[in-house]
DNA sequence: TCCATATTTCCAAGATTATCAAAATGTTCC
DNA sequence: GGAACATTTTGATAATCTTGGAAATATGGA
């Protein structure tokens, strides 16, 4: 993972609403949730929710699939794993194992 | 770690200059670096460097100590560990171990 | 104390991000 | 095709973050 991608992923999570959205999607698992459901549960207007989902999507932290007339977003665990690996490799002590 | 603290730490790292500064401090280990040295190495003006260090400090990702007439900043591995633990606990699949 | 050096604070642009109503787009079902 | 619903884009405004020069503050040594 490149530094810029890491900044992208960190930025996506560095916002209270988006971190909450992402955590909810993580708890929900592969089942996922539609923007409409997320919008209602989190009390965030559709346009704002769409903006946040796009941000998470661009960061590679969520995936989406169409299902009937809805679109379902789910957490992308692989993307998250990539970010955590980046942090472990680049932001933690190498030899000491301090972190 | 509270959600707000996590957002704070993520925000601190979600900026290219600061992520670079932090990674450099990680590589440097306990020896650390002064704002002046960081400023010169990274070609960032002192005032800007000070701003970024304050941000990292507020996020609990760096510590500082005075040494002679300089102040030495070092990566706070414990703070980083706390952030990674938060991500592992809250942003990864719980049972599947997907991430 | 006074000077040289190191760092931070102040402050004012400039740049980016967040919010959300309204309009546009896409999808299903009849 | 058209109605009904779901989501995204547009566009405008507000809020927040970044940058860096200039001034202020702090430290150590002569």
């Amino acid at each position: 993972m490149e530094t810029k991608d890491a900044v992208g992923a960190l930025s996506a999570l560095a916002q209270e609403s988006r971190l909450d959205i992402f955590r909810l999607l993580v708890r929900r698992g592969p089942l996922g949730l539609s923007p409409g459901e997320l919008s209602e549960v989190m009390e965030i207007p559709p346009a704002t929710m769409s903006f946040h989902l796009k941000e998470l999507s661009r960061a590679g932290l969520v995936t989406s699939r169409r299902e009937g007339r809805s679109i379902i977003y789910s957490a992308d665990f692989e993307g998250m794993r990539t970010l955590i690996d980046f942090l472990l490799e680049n932001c933690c002590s190498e030899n000491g194992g301090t972190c």
Side-chain angles (χ1 to χ4, degrees), chain A:
Chain A
M1 178 178 239
E2 302 262 340
T3 303
K4 284 193 178 173
D5 298 323
V7 170
L10 291 165
S11 299
L13 296 177
Q15 208 276 348
E16 197 151 15
S17 298
R18 275 198 302 270
L19 184 55
D20 286 343
I21 292 165
F22 184 70
R23 291 178 62 188
L24 181 50
L25 289 177
V26 164
R27 272 179 262 133
R28 187 74 168 179
L31 197 58
L33 283 167
S34 69
E37 292 167 319
L38 283 168
S39 191
E40 194 167 359
V41 172
M42 311 207 57
E43 301 183 47
I44 290 174
T48 305
M49 182 56 69
S50 194
F51 168 80
H52 286 315
L53 288 171
K54 195 164 117 183
E55 207 63 21
L56 287 168
S57 187
R58 166 167 34 225
L61 292 169
V62 302
T63 56
S64 61
R65 63 180 191 274
R66 183 167 278 280
E67 201 161 282
R69 84 181 72 189
S70 293
I71 290 174
I72 302 294
Y73 283 86
S74 342
D76 184 335
F77 293 104
E78 200 178 307
M80 190 63 209
R81 182 72 245 172
T82 305
L83 174 59
I84 291 180
D85 285 344
F86 175 91
L87 294 177
L88 287 170
E89 279 177 35
N90 295 276
C91 300
C92 289
S93 173
E94 284 129 64
N95 36 15
T98 321
C99 161

